[in-house]
Amino acid sequence: MKINNLDDLQEFLINKHNVNLKFIHEVEQDLKGINKGSRTSILALIIRRAIQGPLFVPDGVARSLHGDLSGFAKIKSKSTTIRCIYKPVKTTIPQMDVIAIGPRDKSKAYKLAAERLEAFYSNKSRDDNE
């Protein structure tokens, strides 16, 4: 299956690896701001994390961040300076709610994610009520 966009990626992960991947709207803009090589690398890392186990240890390989981002996990690349911040959700089908993708330069990705927390939780509660 050729992955051309985020919808294709979501479909691939749910069908092949039984992981539900969700992105908040701002993540699409984050990805557009990253060069194509780095974008491909971070999406490959998201796929790898989904395959390895997106949940927290011991159910997966993720480790919780601290402070305002407690309950969220990161995906980082040694070859690029990009980080992905997501919330692992343990449900019947494991879920990854991606809230930010950005540079690790001076913790920008973490600041970006922290700024989006209020919107994330208000959207999450709205989705849960539907």
Side-chain angles (χ1 to χ4, degrees), residues 45-64:
L45 289 171
I46 290 170
I47 292 169
R48 182 179 305 148
R49 176 61 57 94
I51 293 168
Q52 291 174 337
L55 301 176
F56 291 123
V57 172
D59 299 314
V61 297
R63 299 202 180 273
S64 183

Side-chain angles (χ1 to χ4, degrees), residues 14-28:
I14 196 77
N15 291 333
K16 297 289 185 188
H17 300 289
N18 203 36
V19 172
N20 193 10
L21 181 64
K22 292 187 175 187
F23 296 95
I24 64 168
H25 176 72
E26 293 85 351
V27 171
E28 293 177 37

Side-chain angles (χ1 to χ4, degrees), residues 43 93 112 119 123 126:
L43 293 175
I93 296 174
L112 189 62
N123 288 338
R126 200 173 320 125

Side-chain angles (χ1 to χ4, degrees), residues 32 39 42 47 51 75 78 83 116 129:
K32 288 178 182 175
R39 187 179 326 132
I42 197 67
I47 292 169
I51 293 168
I75 300 172
K78 292 179 182 171
R83 292 202 195 270
R116 294 177 179 171
N129 292 327

Side-chain angles (χ1 to χ4, degrees), residues 55-100:
L55 301 176
F56 291 123
V57 172
D59 299 314
V61 297
R63 299 202 180 273
S64 183
L65 296 173
H66 305 286
D68 289 344
L69 295 173
S70 179
F72 287 81
K74 69 181 175 193
I75 300 172
K76 64 181 180 177
S77 169
K78 292 179 182 171
S79 62
T80 68
T81 58
I82 305 293
R83 292 202 195 270
C84 172
I85 311 298
Y86 75 97
K87 179 148 186 85
V89 181
K90 187 175 182 177
T91 59
T92 307
I93 296 174
Q95 182 170 309
M96 298 172 69
D97 292 336
V98 179
I99 65 164

